[in-house]
Amino acid sequence: QSVLTQPPSASGTPGQRVTISCSGSSSNIGSNYLYWYQQLPGTAPKLLIYRNNQRPSGVPDRFSGSKSGTSASLAISGLRSEDEADYYCAAWDDSLSGWVFGGGTKLTVL
Amino acid sequence: QLQLQESGPGLVKPSETLSLTCTVSGGSISSSSYYWGWIRQPPGKGLEWIGSIYYSGNTYYNPSLKSRVTISVDTSKNQFSLKLSSVTAADTAVYYCGRHLGTVTTCFEYWGQGTLVTVSS
């Protein structure tokens, strides 16, 4: 069981907007930044969103993040076939003094 | 451009110690303000943080693995290492090394390509 909760799957058609949720608690999302990673098949995770809603250089503005209380979400607009990947949320947990991850959401582009 | 490369045996016997090294290039592991760490991913499963270290040797470990994990740093070789003792099949995973965005409470910004370690007799 992952400390952060994500839906196991999500899907959308090209051009659509999809959102992926991530819920946690006061000791992680509620008191620390939330981060999102994209993992394409057979590759290492890639940082997609940092500090709740910031995009590293090179990440398209189709990707956006938000956080409210103990929950967060990743939105992908203008869905493209190359967005098909696993997405993970992550946060520092003050109670554990360590990093916790969501179980991952597999995004399928139909 | 910072690059990290994991190295070590791909096969470890049950009850033995898994040992991996991460070699950093394109930057110094002694750079102030950056933590370095290890994450693993069992086949077909999610990500699990193992632990992180500062160049001074200060460490943070996942409480669920703490009794079996040792992370160390060798600044002269620009490397840091992972030792996981008393391994079982449940430790079979792709092991990634990475660099935090800054302090240990910031995310992993840079990742190695990962190395698969299988625990089997």
Side-chain angles (χ1 to χ4, degrees), chain A residues 32 35 37 39 42-47 50-51 88 92 96-103, chain B residues 39 41 45-49 60-61 63 96 100-101 104-109 111-113:
Chain A
N32 294 292
Y35 301 85
Y37 290 95
Q39 186 176 34
T43 68
K46 168 191 168 185
L47 183 61
Y50 68 99
R51 292 176 188 159
Y88 293 90
W92 177 261
L96 298 173
S97 289
W99 278 91
V100 292
F101 289 89
Chain B
I39 287 176
Q41 183 172 34
K45 296 187 178 181
L47 302 166
E48 180 180 36
W49 172 71
Y60 288 82
Y61 295 134
Y96 297 99
H100 289 261
L101 190 63
V104 69
T105 61
T106 63
C107 68
F108 283 84
E109 179 184 16
W111 296 65
Q113 64 184 28

Side-chain angles (χ1 to χ4, degrees), chain B residues 56-115:
Chain B
S56 63
N58 190 41
T59 53
Y60 288 82
Y61 295 134
N62 185 325
S64 68
L65 298 170
K66 188 173 184 176
S67 63
R68 300 194 291 130
V69 172
T70 301
I71 297 176
S72 59
V73 63
D74 187 336
T75 56
S76 67
K77 294 182 179 179
N78 223 31
Q79 296 176 333
F80 60 103
S81 299
L82 167 70
K83 290 189 184 302
L84 180 65
S85 64
S86 305
V87 297
T88 69
D91 295 309
T92 293
V94 174
Y95 285 75
Y96 297 99
C97 63
R99 194 199 80 177
H100 289 261
L101 190 63
T103 66
V104 69
T105 61
T106 63
C107 68
F108 283 84
E109 179 184 16
Y110 290 96
W111 296 65
Q113 64 184 28
T115 187

Side-chain angles (χ1 to χ4, degrees), chain A residues 18-41:
Chain A
V18 297
T19 61
I20 297 171
S21 62
C22 175
S23 66
S25 67
S26 58
S27 63
N28 42 66
I29 297 179
S31 52
N32 294 292
Y33 289 120
L34 193 283
Y35 301 85
W36 290 95
Y37 290 95
Q38 177 193 59
Q39 186 176 34
L40 298 171

